[in-house]
Amino acid sequence: MSTIYLCILVFLLCLAVFDLFVGVSNDAVNFLQSAVGAKVAKFRTILIVASFGVLIGAVMSSGMMDVARHGILMPNHYSFNEVMTIFLAVMVTDVIVLDVFNSLGMPTSTTVSLVFELLGGTFALAVVKMAHDGNLAFSDLLNTEQAMKVIIAIFISVAIAFFFGIIVQWISRLVFTFNYKSHMRYAIAIFGGIAFTSLAYFIFMKGLGKSPYIPESASTWITENTRMLLVYTFIFSTLMMEVMYLLRVNIFKFVVLMGTFALAMAFAGNDLVNFIGVPLAGLDSYQDFMANAHGTGASSFLMTSLMESAKTPPVYLLLAGLVMIIAMAISKKAQNVIKTSVDLSRQDEGEEMFGSSRAARAIVRATQDASDKMSGSASRFGFLNRIRQWAESRFDKQDVALNDGAAFDVVRAAVNLVLASMLITIGTNYKLPLSTTYVTFMVAMGSSLADRAWSRESAVFRVTGVISVIGGWFITAGVAFTACALVCVAMYYGGIIVQVGFMALVVYMLISSNRRFTQKKKKEEKDDAFRLMMRTRDPEIVWDLLRKQVRTTQSLMAQSALDEYNQIVEGLADNKPSILRHALRDLRGEKDVLKKYRRQQLLALRRVPMEIAVERNTWFHVGLNACQQYTYCLLRMLEPIKEHVDNNFTPLPEELKEEYKPLMIHINGLFSETISQISTSRFGNYRETLEEADRLKDELSQVRKRQIDKIQQIRNEGQLQISLVYLNLLQESQQFLSNMRHQLRAAKKFMEN
């Protein structure tokens, strides 16, 4: 029997490593997004700074491990078998839930998932135990008071983080404006001093000061002299910031990197329990059972030892910190989740990741109406109107100082990091596992709202994004609770067979998820050029990048259209419905891809020099419309063919196959020449290609007329149906060539110098 539990323990520890990778992939956004979004340093430098913070925070996180041991369940009423079942169910559910959210690129909360999984698994077994023993109550089996305290703290932190994000960023922007480099002389030292003092107080005095590795005498001295230390720290840091400013050091970049270190440290100190707390509690349970059971069965040996505070060996914490560092350095999913948060809080316009929702439209409209009324009321009073006009002048974005490629400036990045670090560290010091994802994301959303990054053109989409992400968190809570409860009950009654089955399922899902994510990333790499255009400030560079992207996308759309055309003809000739179904899926997907390209390139066209935008606008739309017509033309070609082949009607006669084969080869040759000219921007054979296309259209017209004459003589219904399908193919082939001519002509006019 002990061998079975040893296997479960080994699997729990393996899942702890997986969970560290999956969880850090999700939570790396918490401490990296501000530094990455503001481009304060190279990504490698940001990772190094964050790594030191993670390492120190991990070693100091021992006290938080109690949440997994007795923060939710009351282990003194559970047997060793029941505790291990709960722990295994929690870890299995956690890895699956987090990996699904990471693959979707949605930030979710590892804290919420852990708390609600523990709650769900414990609740399920509590119901089972109470059904067998009427003397037990929920208060005996669930730490309801602590659980409610944790849950309330998690959700209240959303409102607190958003509120303070708005207030602090609004004040900071009033002081520094968007052209912060011209307003730093007198305010930057005080700002830096406040930031450094805040971080020092909550991290070093409150965090390290209460660490078990600090001598008790030193901890007592820090507690008794906190005010004095704060005053001295503020004076010293303010003077230090002024000296650094005079030495031409960018104080905001320094604060952002310092905040990245602090937030990474707070994250590791607070969230490490989410990843390894349960496996370490399982390890302690196994060691207690092996040492003290003395013949007592696993189903009757109570886990009273878990009521004691955790004494986690530092080596485990250090190893966990190293795994976290490796995960955030190599995980592509981490970068995907970072992109979601950065895109929702960016300062400039761009492609919106989320659509428009009714709730978002209602919120934006109500907010704008309220703002208009307040502005109208203020304008009636001279003093208030002057204050409003002065405040408006401080939010002038004309001279915004952004690093090349940055989504927002270093002022907002510094506020995000310092404020989030303070809020999370407060929660950690009170042993409340606040959601670092909730806090950092909502601080970032509040600061971007205060910064007026949500313009009238983008507000609806940004609000929809925020609602979607927050909704995802609530879904996480519900899914984690329900899934873990079901898994726990299944494992409890199914025993080792069901437990092994779930272990195998987790391994399969992780492998499958990584494959799907790799394929998805390959498709998303095509958007890199667009993101570069939206971050570039020079209109001439934007124009050059836009031409390159239009060249690439137009040639890709033409190639896709040719591939789908060949599939349709092949499906008809070989009478294979599977090929036609594949072509239909591809065509439906192309409509969404084209819509995305149109939206991206229209946004970029606004950023090119005005005279060029006006001159090339017509050809830009002609080219896109030609690509759109490819899809419509091919759908008109495909639908009657697919219906004919699906119903297993009379196949295409050999004589018609032979008649159409040279036409198809000719069409392929013309499209290949067109694609080559567009992709290379070399239009030397431009007129010859157009003339050849006209000749082929005339040839198709003659074949079509002959086919009409043949149809009038057909008396067999089956032959008549296939002849009509073939006639439609000829007609749409002519239109297909016309679309190609329009696209080639538009591409030449748009891309020529």
Side-chain angles (χ1 to χ4, degrees), residues 656 659-660 662-663 698-714 723 726-727 730:
L656 296 184
E659 181 182 64
Y660 192 76
L663 299 174
D698 292 339
E699 186 178 349
L700 281 165
S701 182
Q702 293 172 8
V703 173
R704 183 166 164 267
K705 288 177 182 177
R706 291 199 300 268
Q707 183 63 22
I708 291 174
D709 293 338
K710 291 179 183 178
I711 288 174
Q712 292 174 349
Q713 301 173 8
I714 293 175
S723 296
Y726 180 64
L727 183 65
L730 293 171

Side-chain angles (χ1 to χ4, degrees), residues 453-466:
W454 302 1
S455 65
R456 294 183 78 98
E457 286 73 25
S458 64
V460 170
F461 306 111
R462 304 283 178 92
V463 173
T464 300
V466 173

Side-chain angles (χ1 to χ4, degrees), residues 199-441:
L199 295 173
Y201 172 67
F202 287 110
I203 296 214
F204 297 103
M205 297 180 193
K206 284 289 186 181
L208 298 182
K210 293 185 177 181
S211 170
Y213 306 106
I214 300 295
E216 187 176 345
S217 57
S219 179
T220 303
W221 185 86
I222 290 173
T223 303
E224 293 175 350
N225 297 277
T226 298
R227 292 185 180 180
M228 179 189 69
L229 288 172
L230 283 177
V231 172
Y232 287 158
T233 302
F234 176 72
I235 294 172
F236 170 77
S237 58
T238 301
L239 293 174
M240 181 182 69
M241 296 296 172
E242 185 62 28
V243 171
M244 291 172 64
Y245 172 72
L246 295 175
L247 293 174
R248 300 187 181 281
V249 175
N250 190 319
I251 302 301
F252 282 113
K253 286 188 176 182
F254 175 79
V255 170
V256 169
L257 291 175
M258 181 178 67
T260 300
F261 168 84
L263 190 52
M265 182 177 167
F267 154 76
N270 186 82
D271 277 27
L272 192 60
V273 63
N274 302 338
F275 312 132
I276 67 171
V278 169
L280 289 181
L283 176 61
D284 288 345
S285 301
Y286 179 79
Q287 291 173 339
D288 181 42
F289 175 72
M290 295 301 294
N292 301 311
H294 301 307
T296 307
S299 299
S300 54
F301 182 78
L302 297 179
M303 297 309 304
T304 308
S305 61
L306 290 183
M307 294 298 293
E308 300 173 2
S309 294
K311 296 180 178 62
T312 309
V315 65
Y316 292 161
L317 301 174
L318 181 63
L319 288 174
L322 291 173
V323 172
M324 293 167 79
I325 291 170
I326 295 170
M328 68 180 180
I330 67 175
S331 174
K332 296 296 183 183
K333 292 185 179 181
Q335 298 172 25
N336 190 46
V337 180
I338 290 170
K339 185 172 75 69
T340 301
S341 286
V342 169
D343 283 349
L344 281 175
S345 56
R346 68 180 182 272
Q347 190 66 49
D348 53 20
E349 288 185 284
E351 185 196 10
E352 301 297 338
M353 296 182 62
F354 298 90
S356 172
S357 66
R358 180 178 296 180
R361 290 194 294 270
I363 291 171
V364 170
R365 187 173 294 109
T367 304
Q368 288 174 347
D369 290 344
S371 177
D372 292 341
K373 289 179 181 179
M374 290 175 65
S375 298
S377 300
S379 63
R380 298 172 189 167
F381 302 94
F383 176 69
L384 291 177
N385 193 42
R386 285 193 296 273
I387 293 176
R388 184 183 66 83
Q389 291 176 350
W390 174 79
E392 289 289 330
S393 68
R394 308 297 285 183
F395 283 84
D396 184 7
K397 300 180 184 178
Q398 295 300 317
D399 298 322
V400 59
L402 281 178
N403 295 326
D404 188 28
F408 42 81
D409 68 2
V410 290
V411 177
R412 175 135 60 97
V415 169
N416 287 348
L417 288 163
V418 173
L419 186 56
S421 298
M422 290 169 57
L423 292 174
I424 293 165
T425 310
I426 291 171
T428 304
N429 289 330
Y430 284 100
K431 294 191 176 181
L432 293 173
L434 294 181
S435 170
T436 54
T437 304
Y438 279 28
V439 172
T440 53
F441 183 82

